[in-house]
Amino acid sequence: MTPAVNAWNAEYLEAAYQQFQADPQSVSPDLQAFFRGFELGLNTIPAAGGAGALPPGAGADGGSSFQAAVDDLIFAYREFGHLAAKIDPFGRERTRPPELGLAHHGLKESDLDRVVHTGTLKLPDNATLREVIRLLDDTYCRSIGYEIMHAQTSEERTWLLDRIESARGQPPLSHDARIRVLHQLLQAEEFEKFLGKRYPSDKRFSLEGSESTIPLLNRLMERATELGVEEMVVGMAHRGRLNVLNNIMGKSYEQIFTEFEDNSPEAWANDGGDVKYHRGYSGQRRFPSGKTLHVSMASNPSHLESVDGVVEGRTRAKQRLRGDLQRTRVVPLLIHGDAALPAQGVVAETLNLAYLDGYTTGGTVHAVINNLVGFTTSPEDGRSTTYCTDIAKMILAPVFHVNGEDPEAVIWTAQLAIDFRQQFKRDIFIDLYCYRKYGHNEQDEASYTQPILYSLIRKKSSVLKVYAERLLAEGVINEADMVEIRRRLDEALEAAQAAAKQTPYDPTIDPGSARWQGMGGRYTHDPANTAVPVQMLQEVCAALGRTPEGFRLNPKLKNLLEARANLPQTKLISYADAESLAYGTLLLEGTAVRVSGQDVRRGTFSHRHAVLRDTETGEPYIPLNHMRELGRPGTDAPPGSTGPDGRQRQAQFCIHDSPLSEYAVLGFEYGYSLADPNMLVCWEAQFGDFNNGAQIIIDQYLASAEAKWERWSGLVMLLPHGYEGAGPEHSSARLERFLTLCGNDNMQVVHPTTAPQMFHLLRRQVRRNFRKPLILMTPKSLLRTPTGTIDELVTGRFQEMLDDHAFSKEKGWDRAGVKRLLLCSGKIYFELAERREKLGRKDTAIIRIEQLYPFNKALLAGILAAYPKAAKATWVQEEPRNAGAFLFISDLLRTQLGLEADYIGREGSATPATGSKHAHKAQQEHILTTALGALPEGKEGGKAKPPAPAKQPAPAR
């Protein structure tokens, strides 16, 4: 594979040049042109001693110099022709690059009738320079600007050049195809006009001025089915979305009019729902060929481009479920706006995922609806690049800039784009130059800020009118055809609106269909059966301690693997152990697991070591994928089926280190969770604080998607959280932010304190008949500290709250003597328990709220009822008063249990934690002293250690 010009190195060029000198045809066309230009340059360099440059055609080999100049001109058209292409929808002239002129290459008008070598151009061998230029102008300077010479490989460039130049820029459309394009334009325009006439005060973000989007997407999808694509996952912003939902996705007129009429009998519960141009849809498209395509449009908010990662993750999951290892049967399509594409950082983050092993989807087709303006901002104020698509060059993706006023050119770019994607499994962009007929929405007065542009728009005939006149003039259609098509469309629209007024049509898709069959949306505190047989734990532990023969393990990991193998005998388990055991048991049961994030294979705190590396070869080994034979979905040997050894095949453990990105990666994992409810999908922040880089995904998708769009997700967020003196950036996962977003039982926020709790919690996530995002505060200093026993995995389950086991029958403390109830969550429990033990304070009980939301008030009421009514309740936390759980929990205690709780913790602060270790220790000591008292003189507190694991009381119901 030949690299792009900007990636060539000297050694490669020298070898290729020697090959070119021996046989010019033995290297690719772009290299031929490059070396001929290079030789032309040599012929025009001033001679030593100050002699003037030799003009092309002069000197010892004038013919060779002339041909080199011609080759250089050909290369210039391929490289710079897009800058002269007629892509402006208003026909405004562009400054022609000097590289396309004869003089720039030392050529003259008198050379135009000279015979030239045409190389790979589709011309006879005896063609003249004039004929060469005519072909190049037709190919590169008409309605499509091809920006392709930066493509990744010589193979890609050769393929593109051959397809483009063979078609002389674009091939003609057949008679029937042209009529279909006209009909699609007519459907797009009539739909917008009808909405504008019947609902003039409603925002609709119309497609008017960009109607060529509809034939573009139609041809893209139809051609995709011809190439074996079975499903396409789509993401787009609101511009033109209603039109695309109707004319591409198959959402009916009646469904859309129901939303405009706002007459649904089911009023949105709890102020849920969303505006119509944010909703998604899915359906089955059937094309004239008889082939079908399942199309899914992701719901997304007004946060432009935030849906990009979601679409990619959803696509990846669908590819896995179909067994699409070549990534040719499910294809992602992203429809961008010209202003958002270069301006939203998530675009670059998502593009960076394009070819990474854990995230690639085999290439994305990108279509840009280029309105030449963003809200009220002109391109000169919105980007520092020539094109809005220049960001595509970061992954060397080809770009086709096409004039939206030439529908036939648009159709060709759509076909070429999907052909390229399927051939090379790489991203490609179509930049559709069009315009926005109205302001940002239909009520805006756009001429306030773009007076010149909108004076042109007011005078502009629609693309439908221009194209129809062209087909009428060419005799492809007649006036009667147009009248009849309009009549049928008008009747259909009228009938649909009348029907929607009479009987509302559900505009949404059933969230419990397809792979979500059997799932519901209602949260319940009912326990799930998450215990496992001891034999299964033994099998997982054996695998965790095993490496293949000849594998050279890092010596520092030898003890860790031995300890994991011996867990059934040693019994004591840590968070790290519990997590691996939860994953392993799920895999044996046929439930796949995906974990991604920065450093997740090893673990930020070197606790996971899920992937081992051979110290000499670097080859990876994943113990959890070598327990049994792997089953693969979408094949005749899926997980759970019986393998050759008579045992059930295990599911796959997919664990991937992510790039230093939170926004796109969390969006990706969220999208993945939408497609597969039966897989445990986890994202881990390197430090819990880093989730704030993905706040848009958290706010707009995780927390609110169920209420807005009826979309369910079981995504798990693993967020290291805890105060150990690591400073303000590495102490807090911002628990308070998640709690602020809680409502309508929308997600689970949990801060577990023991390893068994972690084990059962992870398994519970995929063992219930509903899915809610799980926000999981995980420890740092306690990751490898034993906090439970393996026996608790065989008989226990997750408990949303933990009563104080010091007052259990085994310990024997008397509840009647309790004067103070300390309620807490997380690591602070162990420090409180240790201080209480040292001080012998049997008058204080410590109750752990493991699940902060949804809040099980009945369970807590039952626990509190066992203590004296006079006992004073106090919430204790490490975080500042305005952070952590206090404000949220105190409100729940007051409003749901009538309980006023005191507060012990850090004072309110603008920053999560101090940067001084000395100050941190002093603050932590103050919390413990306030809660339980100071240690006697000379009795050191030291680092808190969990008490020896004790048998937990029977689960409260």
Side-chain angles (χ1 to χ4, degrees), residues 376 439-450 454 458:
T376 66
H440 176 64
N441 61 62
E442 287 70 30
Q443 284 73 49
D444 283 348
E445 178 48 71
S447 63
Y448 290 156
T449 52
Q450 274 78 28
Y454 274 85
R458 280 192 292 272

Side-chain angles (χ1 to χ4, degrees), residues 335-588:
I335 306 170
H336 308 273
D338 57 307
L341 183 66
Q344 296 287 312
V346 71
V347 176
E349 287 191 32
T350 305
L351 289 176
N352 186 52
L353 301 177
Y355 311 124
L356 302 182
D357 179 60
Y359 306 91
T360 185
T361 53
T364 300
V365 178
H366 302 261
V368 183
I369 300 178
N370 193 332
N371 291 310
L372 311 180
V373 62
F375 201 4
T376 66
T377 306
S378 298
E380 57 269 22
D381 294 317
R383 64 174 187 263
S384 298
T385 56
T386 302
Y387 294 115
C388 67
T389 54
D390 283 343
I391 194 171
K393 294 176 185 175
M394 71 175 276
I395 56 169
L396 304 177
V399 183
F400 307 147
H401 308 279
V402 59
N403 192 329
E405 296 298 294
D406 185 345
E408 295 184 18
V410 172
I411 291 293
W412 170 240
T413 60
Q415 177 167 320
L416 191 59
I418 190 63
D419 285 359
F420 177 88
R421 189 276 175 194
Q422 291 295 86
Q423 177 72 24
F424 295 104
K425 317 296 186 298
R426 296 189 67 83
D427 285 47
I428 189 155
F429 282 71
I430 301 170
D431 183 13
L432 181 67
Y433 267 69
C434 40
Y435 60 92
R436 187 184 72 192
K437 185 172 181 179
Y438 304 106
H440 176 64
N441 61 62
E442 287 70 30
Q443 284 73 49
D444 283 348
E445 178 48 71
S447 63
Y448 290 156
T449 52
Q450 274 78 28
I452 296 173
L453 175 63
Y454 274 85
S455 69
L456 293 172
I457 290 172
R458 280 192 292 272
K459 302 170 190 171
K460 183 85 177 63
S461 296
S462 72
V463 62
L464 170 66
K465 186 174 188 298
V466 173
Y467 191 58
E469 288 172 352
R470 175 180 163 188
L471 297 192
L472 285 166
E474 295 175 10
V476 177
I477 59 166
N478 57 49
E479 198 67 58
D481 295 330
M482 287 291 292
V483 171
E484 177 59 20
I485 295 171
R486 283 188 190 277
R487 184 190 64 76
R488 289 201 304 267
L489 280 173
D490 285 343
E491 287 180 357
L493 288 162
E494 292 281 359
Q497 187 190 34
K501 285 175 179 288
Q502 181 78 21
T503 306
Y505 287 70
D506 187 355
T508 61
I509 326 158
D510 178 9
S513 60
R515 295 190 183 276
W516 292 85
Q517 199 73 42
M519 295 285 177
R522 188 179 70 85
Y523 183 87
T524 173
H525 292 289
D526 293 343
N529 181 16
T530 54
V532 296
V534 68
Q535 295 81 2
M536 183 177 285
L537 294 168
Q538 290 168 346
E539 185 176 354
V540 176
C541 290
L544 288 171
R546 190 169 58 226
T547 55
E549 187 176 348
F551 187 87
R552 287 151 293 222
L553 180 70
N554 188 308
K556 294 181 179 179
L557 294 177
K558 183 180 178 183
N559 290 340
L560 173 67
L561 265 62
E562 287 179 357
R564 287 177 173 175
N566 292 327
L567 285 174
Q569 290 75 45
T570 57
K571 299 289 189 183
L572 298 180
I573 59 170
S574 66
Y575 264 89
D577 299 327
E579 183 194 8
S580 294
L581 292 172
Y583 297 154
T585 54
L586 287 172
L587 297 169
L588 290 179

Side-chain angles (χ1 to χ4, degrees), residues 74 78 88 104 108 125 135 151 160-161 191 230 332 340 381 405 452 535-536 555 611 680 791 905 937:
I74 293 170
R78 291 167 170 168
D88 183 74
H104 185 83
K108 305 182 293 294
D125 290 339
L135 178 141
L160 285 165
L161 290 170
F191 176 78
E230 299 167 357
D381 294 317
E405 296 298 294
I452 296 173
Q535 295 81 2
M536 183 177 285
V611 180
L680 181 65
D791 294 338
E937 193 71 31

